[in-house]
Amino acid sequence: MTFRRITTSLLFFSIASPFAHTTQVDGAEKTDSPVSESKQQLLLQLGKNNHRFTPEARLAYLNYRKADAIKALQQHAISLPDPLFDWVDQSPVIASAIYGMEHGTPAQALVLLHSLTLDLGDANVRKYPQLVLAAVMLHARQVDLKNPEALPWISLKKRPPIKVVIPGNPLVRVDTHPKDRPYDIHDHVINFMYETETLNQAGEITKVEPRPKPIRACDIVASKPLQAEFNTYMQRKVKDFQPLHCGESLNWKYKGVSWRLPERKALGRAWQLFSEAYMTKGLLPRNRDPLPSPAEWLAYQISNANDPSRKVELPDAWPFAIYLVNSPQPLREAEYAWLEMARGIRPMRYVEYVGKVAQDATMLRLRRLTPFDYAYGSLAMMRKDGGVCGTHTSTNMQAGAALGMSMMNCASPGHSFPGSLKKANGIYSATVARTGIKWYFDHQNPTSIGNDSNKLVALAAAMNWGLDGFTDSLLGWSLCLELQPHLSAGQRHSLLKSSLMLNPCNISLARATCAATTSPGQALALWLDFQKALESKKGQQGFQHSDRMLSETWKNICKIWEQQPVPGDKQLCAQIYGALAQNPTSSELLTRYQLHVKGLDATLVNVSRELDTHFSSLFRTDEDGRKLLDRLNSTLASIKDPKRPGLKADWLAEQHSRLNNRGLYVTYDQRARKYIAKQDPCALLLHGLAKKPVDNKAWATRMLDQASIELEKHLKSKRTTDICKTMAAKLRAVVAHAKSQQIDLSRYAATWFKMMDGHQAYARHAWCQKDAASVVIDQLVAEFPGDQSAEGLEKVLVTLKKELDALNSKAITAESQKRINSLNLEIDKLSSRIQAQRQQPQQTKPGE
């Protein structure tokens, strides 16, 4: 077989291809020369460009890969038409994708592209190139160049384009009154559901009539009378038939824990009996319809897009389209989604939530077992049976794929939900979630993403950055892997970094570039360029999650610095320290660079300031304490000055004296679901190293003093309901800890009560609301009244009455009524105490 003429010059290239000539395969032409020559030119070009992926390097690599593809096609005597090469060459995105392919070879991709062109028609391929390219990128590796037609859906023979035909219902009803075979048990099961028999006194059948409405399997398992009738009927028909006793618990609306049902074994047997009867007699499909071939799935999607009434917008970027191509649905089932839409039903709606029964597949199916045209696992069946979050996700994925959307199964702990890659108003977006989909943009076998949610948002951002840059960045990565034996570590890094800069949102390439970075200087330059590139898009639509990509890459850069010694270049060291000081990083790494740049004394001063800032706030998180503890430990480990042997002890003593008794803080405990007081790990470390015991009461007293400062700040702030509730919860934590240390809180109760006087209410909409912190203080005053004299209690009573009058003067709400009731109780108690105080006889002082 001879090749037809193949024009190999790439029309968008700036220099001529080294093999731009007519290629013949007659056994006379050499096939190695163009490949070796183009590879040599590629290596020379890279050398000229300092191993950066420039437009010239891109051109040379495409030439080399195309020559290699043509050589492979020639070796297997595969003839492809000139227009196919011309069309690939005229599109930079398609050329980079086809010739830079790693999940398969360019030769395999060209063969598959030609087969799909024959199946879909040249016009459709050119109208929807990204969808077709996605199929090529996904399935090219399946092509066997030795026998391209080994796969039944791939052929290089000329043929008319595929005509989409929706298959009909595959069910064929079996006659349950056979004339050419004996009755079986399934015949009798179905006959009971569809017919009634009349018996005479001798038990003989005198009449058989169709039921006005057939009985369903789900009706039988939910009704004891029907079960008894069914058992009697079956015992007459089948020798040794064991009767069913399914109870009445598993009905249409059952949502309980099915495996706790006393009849669970009988229900399982009923499922086996009834489902097999339905399937055997053509009333229920045994399996889902067969999936369409990739070519048929593409043809279905394109036919929908070409139908103006369906208003389908197919993905216009192959990285998004690849997820639609990889989600084929049986065409009859896919059409079900369109039929729902035609009937005014929203195809991507939530299924009925059925509760815990969804965890038992047998019981879930049995409770609604009835003749049906679609098999289990289909969109229609899941709609009928209902389910929980997993079923909802599955139905949305199936319906979304039928409608031409790129769907995926997303997840969070204990939950799944549907997500999609989509484009709206010219902006690509993706869900921020863990997914179980495959990831196709690493140069290795596609793997499940798992809990990596950065990849999806990065892919959307990469499309907003530009599809051409994304495809070329993959091309440069492919080049680096191909030439890896010829490249030094620095050359690999240069090639990968320059490829990454074509589209910094290519998160997989960003990871690979970090992995190829071998020196602190390279890491700094990579970070600065990467940060500058992404921050240039900050605030722009479509790049809302760029901080996630920056954060991940920064962590990878820090790992490089952690593994490498601090560079001797002082300027470089200072630049790295500047980057570390501006971004979150490990305390050990920050301290290591700070010592080299600032020196030991300046580092100690800096850490002292950090300790002051940390302990000045009463309310902080556990993470704050852990970070500062790491910083403190790394600093203490660095205090090694032979000329000043007492430096460490002196510095510790100074910190302990300054920070004495500040060891408690208040934080939110997720397990307890409330604020609690805790001992700060840094304070414990300082006390331990200074060999000083912890004075728990002094710590609690200091915490109370800090709480007074925080309350003052709170009263001066712009308060909202949530802020007031949070402050109240924090005060409760402070009070609870102080009580545990048996501290008399009378003084603090009086002080806080006085601070709160006149500030109990805060502006909220059109009416005033009681500050929740004031309620806590009122309760504290009632428990620790301080001045027990009638005059002291009278002051408290006056304040409470003022608040009551203010509430009564406004429109009463449910919330304010609760407070009014509480105030009335407090006022009654105080009034009784005041009256009791005044009725007590005066005690005579000694000497009077």
Side-chain angles (χ1 to χ4, degrees), residues 32 297 423 573 581 624 669 703:
D32 291 337
W297 182 238
K423 182 181 181 182
C573 189
D624 294 333
D669 188 286
M703 178 184 64

Side-chain angles (χ1 to χ4, degrees), residues 612-655:
D612 283 338
T613 302
H614 177 76
F615 285 107
S616 65
S617 173
L618 175 61
F619 309 131
R620 49 188 186 266
T621 66
D622 294 339
E623 182 63 21
D624 294 333
R626 285 192 292 268
K627 287 181 179 179
L628 189 60
L629 181 63
D630 291 342
R631 174 79 160 139
L632 187 57
N633 279 321
S634 62
T635 302
L636 293 173
S638 67
I639 303 178
K640 298 175 182 177
D641 190 344
K643 297 180 180 179
R644 293 182 289 177
L647 177 60
K648 184 174 182 178
D650 293 342
W651 187 80
L652 280 172
E654 179 189 351
Q655 306 315 307

Side-chain angles (χ1 to χ4, degrees), residues 398-429:
Q398 291 183 23
L403 302 177
M405 301 169 62
S406 298
M407 302 298 300
M408 59 194 60
N409 182 348
C410 303
S412 60
H415 179 56
S416 70
F417 57 94
S420 65
L421 296 162
K422 55 190 175 183
K423 182 181 181 182
N425 301 320
I427 301 298
Y428 296 92
S429 63

Side-chain angles (χ1 to χ4, degrees), residues 496-532:
L496 289 175
K497 180 187 172 185
S498 57
S499 301
L500 175 63
M501 289 300 108
L502 296 174
N503 193 319
C505 299
N506 187 339
I507 194 75
S508 295
L509 180 54
R511 294 170 180 176
T513 307
C514 288
T517 303
T518 57
S519 72
Q522 283 182 350
L524 177 65
L526 173 60
W527 167 247
L528 294 177
D529 289 346
F530 184 81
Q531 183 185 38
K532 182 179 179 181

